[in-house]
Amino acid sequence: MQRACVSVLCVCICVSVLLHSAISQSHRETYTYTECTDGYHWDPQTEHCKDINECETIPDACKGEMKCFNHYGGYLCLPRSASFIPAPEPSINPTEAFNPCPLGYEPHGDSCVDVDECERKEHDCQPSQECINTLGAFNCQCPRGYSKVGTECIDIDECRYRYCQHRCVNVPGSFSCQCEPGFQLGGNNRSCVDVNECEMGAPCSQRCFNTYGTFMCRCDQGYELGPDGFACNDIDECRSSSYHCQFQCVNEPGKFSCVCPEGYQLVGTRMCQDINECETGEHQCIDTQTCVNIHGRYQCVDTDRCQDPYIHVSDNRCVCPHNKPACRDLPYSVVHRYMTITSERSVPSDIFLIQATNFLTGSLNTFRIRSGDDNRDFYIRQTNNYSAMLVLARAVSGPREYTLDLEMLSGHPLVSQRTSSVLRLSIFVGPYTF
């Protein structure tokens, strides 16, 4: 700034009058003016103009949220949050010596040289300001982050200029930038860059995915995210559905497995299949026995199951000769067969085909259940003259065993006596539906 008179206009006028009187070499007279410019009043004690504190003399000098700050010759209305460094009162020496040189200069021989007010500390800069000497004057430079208004240094609110990407915090003489959660300050101290929480120890128990400004926790297959969003809890698949396994579901951490009952083996991941111990050799039948595989187990039956008066003629076949009196009212032949079915099988269900192998041409054949079906769980459906189908009429549960005598009666127009043949069918009902 350009330096004006020492402090007030009236002093300049007085000095100017005295200077004119000295140069004209006329008689010395001192003229005294007691009128001051606006913002000053005459102080008879110091015989100088003194600044008026308008903030004290004017009621409600500043309105609203503005605050009054006094400065030389006037006052400022600034926000209450404004920070400023007050200027000290200028010192006035009432006994200053007469100086014939312009203001800011002093005589040196026959010429006037510049006065370095900064070096002589004859300036009115604030302690926080830097004094910079100029020809005939000096400047008071405010610290960085402040703007000079009059003689005061007012803080610059840098946050008004949106220097920061996210949040700006103004402080006296400076500012600082802050970032939202999930971000950190970049190298320029203004921009905000995403923080990769996954690389900084995010509390995810299994998998972490970084996103812009935050992160997400995810779980492996077989787990679900807990209420806190971090922990992964095992999913009990066995409780969520009864269709995962055909027999029994076993829950394990992050997965489940299916098991089958004894006598069955797992096929794929959930189905159970009967183990045919007769084919695998995992049975204990002796040479005179036949291994019969049934659902979940096996059974050893005697190879010769013929009972007197029947005689064994071939595998599973017994005959009762007509020449034996005891055979007169008995079926001529008995053939032993074995089969197995599952529990709760849907009904009606065709389960066994009966077919005549030896018969006379022109004979008339009928089929019936001779014995073993006391509860009427089965019935015969004859399909033609030579075959019939055994039908399961009711759903049955195992383990259970039926022994049905399925009889074929044959009659011929040329033969007066009807003949009978029996297929003795042993039906084993397994304990499960598979």
Side-chain angles (χ1 to χ4, degrees), residues 282-316:
E282 299 175 7
H283 62 84
Q284 296 180 353
C285 298
I286 60 178
D287 294 341
T288 59
Q289 294 177 324
T290 299
C291 178
V292 178
N293 183 65
I294 57 181
H295 283 92
R297 59 191 178 94
Y298 67 93
Q299 189 157 324
C300 297
V301 297
D302 293 334
T303 304
D304 182 2
R305 300 190 66 181
C306 300
Q307 298 178 354
D308 189 62
Y310 286 90
I311 61 174
H312 183 255
V313 292
S314 63
D315 289 345
N316 299 327

Side-chain angles (χ1 to χ4, degrees), residues 37 57 106 114 120 124 209-210 218-219 224 240 266 302 361 378 426:
T37 58
T57 60
E106 65 181 1
D114 174 58
R120 294 185 182 184
D124 58 356
F209 293 91
N210 184 61
R218 290 292 181 266
C219 299
E224 61 184 356
S240 63
L266 194 65
D302 293 334
T361 303
F378 307 87
S426 296

Side-chain angles (χ1 to χ4, degrees), residues 146-340:
Y146 287 84
S147 174
K148 197 169 185 183
V149 179
T151 59
E152 308 293 344
C153 288
I154 306 299
D155 173 53
I156 299 174
D157 187 358
E158 294 87 353
C159 296
R160 293 186 304 170
Y161 304 106
R162 299 184 179 180
Y163 289 140
C164 301
Q165 183 177 357
H166 284 183
R167 295 197 306 264
C168 178
V169 178
N170 187 60
V171 295
S174 185
F175 70 98
S176 63
C177 295
Q178 296 179 354
C179 297
E180 301 292 343
F183 296 85
Q184 64 183 3
L185 214 55
N188 59 5
N189 291 326
R190 295 185 181 182
S191 301
C192 293
V193 295
D194 175 57
V195 174
N196 190 338
E197 294 87 351
C198 298
E199 296 179 353
M200 300 178 66
C204 298
S205 62
Q206 289 186 353
R207 290 188 289 170
C208 178
F209 293 91
N210 184 61
T211 60
Y212 190 69
T214 184
F215 66 96
M216 294 187 301
C217 295
R218 290 292 181 266
C219 299
D220 296 331
Q221 185 175 1
Y223 294 85
E224 61 184 356
L225 203 61
D228 61 358
F230 305 132
C232 291
N233 302 322
D234 174 57
I235 298 174
D236 190 348
E237 296 87 353
C238 299
R239 295 183 60 184
S240 63
S241 174
S242 60
Y243 297 100
H244 289 310
C245 298
Q246 190 175 33
F247 176 64
Q248 183 178 354
C249 177
V250 178
N251 187 60
E252 301 176 17
K255 60 180 181 178
F256 70 95
S257 61
C258 297
V259 296
C260 295
E262 185 179 2
Y264 293 81
Q265 62 185 357
L266 194 65
V267 178
T269 58
R270 60 177 300 270
M271 304 300 292
C272 293
Q273 184 182 63
D274 172 58
I275 298 173
N276 191 335
E277 295 87 353
C278 300
E279 292 182 355
T280 61
E282 299 175 7
H283 62 84
Q284 296 180 353
C285 298
I286 60 178
D287 294 341
T288 59
Q289 294 177 324
T290 299
C291 178
V292 178
N293 183 65
I294 57 181
H295 283 92
R297 59 191 178 94
Y298 67 93
Q299 189 157 324
C300 297
V301 297
D302 293 334
T303 304
D304 182 2
R305 300 190 66 181
C306 300
Q307 298 178 354
D308 189 62
Y310 286 90
I311 61 174
H312 183 255
V313 292
S314 63
D315 289 345
N316 299 327
R317 188 167 186 267
C318 305
V319 296
C320 194
H322 293 302
N323 57 4
K324 287 186 177 183
C327 295
R328 180 173 300 177
D329 297 327
L330 295 176
Y332 172 71
S333 65
V334 176
V335 177
H336 294 272
R337 290 287 185 267
Y338 310 94
M339 71 170 297
T340 179

Side-chain angles (χ1 to χ4, degrees), residues 13-219:
I13 297 172
C14 296
V15 173
S16 178
V17 171
L18 293 175
L19 178 60
H20 175 74
S21 177
I23 295 175
S24 62
Q25 300 295 323
S26 63
H27 61 282
R28 301 179 70 90
E29 288 189 59
T30 302
Y31 299 93
T32 303
Y33 293 88
T34 60
E35 293 184 2
C36 301
T37 58
D38 293 340
Y40 294 87
H41 69 89
W42 178 258
D43 185 0
Q45 184 177 357
T46 60
E47 295 185 352
H48 284 81
C49 290
K50 188 176 182 180
D51 176 55
I52 299 172
N53 190 343
E54 291 84 356
C55 296
E56 295 179 355
T57 60
I58 302 176
D60 297 328
C62 297
K63 305 295 183 180
E65 297 297 323
M66 306 300 283
K67 184 178 179 181
C68 181
F69 294 91
N70 184 62
H71 78 102
Y72 300 125
Y75 64 96
L76 298 173
C77 290
L78 300 174
R80 293 183 181 274
S81 61
S83 174
F84 73 101
I85 304 174
E89 289 284 344
S91 59
I92 300 176
N93 185 2
T95 60
E96 289 184 356
F98 171 73
N99 181 8
C101 295
L103 189 63
Y105 291 84
E106 65 181 1
H108 184 75
D110 295 334
S111 61
C112 294
V113 296
D114 174 58
V115 175
D116 189 343
E117 295 86 352
C118 299
E119 183 179 347
R120 294 185 182 184
K121 300 190 183 303
E122 296 176 356
H123 59 83
D124 58 356
C125 295
Q126 303 174 25
S128 61
Q129 296 175 341
E130 180 184 1
C131 178
I132 299 176
N133 186 62
T134 61
L135 291 177
F138 63 92
N139 286 331
C140 294
Q141 184 172 326
C142 290
R144 184 177 180 180
Y146 287 84
S147 174
K148 197 169 185 183
V149 179
T151 59
E152 308 293 344
C153 288
I154 306 299
D155 173 53
I156 299 174
D157 187 358
E158 294 87 353
C159 296
R160 293 186 304 170
Y161 304 106
R162 299 184 179 180
Y163 289 140
C164 301
Q165 183 177 357
H166 284 183
R167 295 197 306 264
C168 178
V169 178
N170 187 60
V171 295
S174 185
F175 70 98
S176 63
C177 295
Q178 296 179 354
C179 297
E180 301 292 343
F183 296 85
Q184 64 183 3
L185 214 55
N188 59 5
N189 291 326
R190 295 185 181 182
S191 301
C192 293
V193 295
D194 175 57
V195 174
N196 190 338
E197 294 87 351
C198 298
E199 296 179 353
M200 300 178 66
C204 298
S205 62
Q206 289 186 353
R207 290 188 289 170
C208 178
F209 293 91
N210 184 61
T211 60
Y212 190 69
T214 184
F215 66 96
M216 294 187 301
C217 295
R218 290 292 181 266
C219 299

